Amino acid sequence: MLTSPIDAVTLPAPQTWEVEPELAAVPSTRRLIIEVARGWRVPLSDEALRDVELCAGEVLANAVEHAGARFRVTAWWTGERIRVEVADSSLRPPQPGAAADLLTGGRGLVLVAGLARSWGWSPEGAGKAVWFEIDTLPGSA
């Protein structure tokens, strides 16, 4: 457990794990993120957990598609929202909405932007980390 210096609240320790670069790993990793959040007993509504699961699926699939190498997932509770970060070895920055109109893919980050309280990315080592945060209740962005 971590203690916030601001209000002396004990927060659950962040959870980090490595994921193989296979699309088959995406569903089980999404479920693991939800299991971790439920295990923390944080006050996330069922709808907020669905939003976490949808957003996680998008950033995980992007890491598989664009990095093609093992990547790291970290989930933590900030005291107000859940944050999920996916760090991969691709230097290519995320490009929301870059898909052509007739393509069936390429709109995942637009979905993340619509569901998450906030999202972003930053360079990390030889790659980048893409993250999103979901509030306790959906739609409270």
Side-chain angles (χ1 to χ4, degrees), residues 1 12 15 32-42 49:
M1 294 294 212
Q15 298 294 306
L32 182 56
I33 292 167
I34 298 305
E35 288 173 22
V36 165
R38 285 191 171 127
W40 288 333
R41 299 190 188 279
V42 296
L49 285 170

Side-chain angles (χ1 to χ4, degrees), residues 1-99:
M1 294 294 212
L2 298 174
T3 303
S4 166
I6 297 170
D7 53 14
V9 172
T10 301
L11 301 174
Q15 298 294 306
T16 300
W17 58 95
E18 299 285 320
V19 178
E20 294 299 323
E22 302 164 358
L23 284 176
V26 171
S28 60
T29 305
R30 270 192 337 238
R31 285 190 299 273
L32 182 56
I33 292 167
I34 298 305
E35 288 173 22
V36 165
R38 285 191 171 127
W40 288 333
R41 299 190 188 279
V42 296
L44 288 168
S45 69
D46 288 341
E47 190 175 346
L49 285 170
R50 281 190 299 274
D51 290 351
V52 169
E53 192 170 13
L54 283 169
C55 290
E58 296 299 336
V59 296
L60 292 166
N62 284 348
V64 169
E65 181 180 346
H66 299 294
R70 195 175 176 124
F71 56 92
R72 185 182 72 248
V73 175
T74 303
W76 66 90
W77 177 246
T78 70
E80 296 179 1
R81 58 188 64 98
I82 189 168
R83 181 180 173 112
V84 176
E85 180 179 281
V86 175
D88 64 43
S89 60
S90 171
L91 292 172
R92 182 178 172 199
Q95 299 175 350

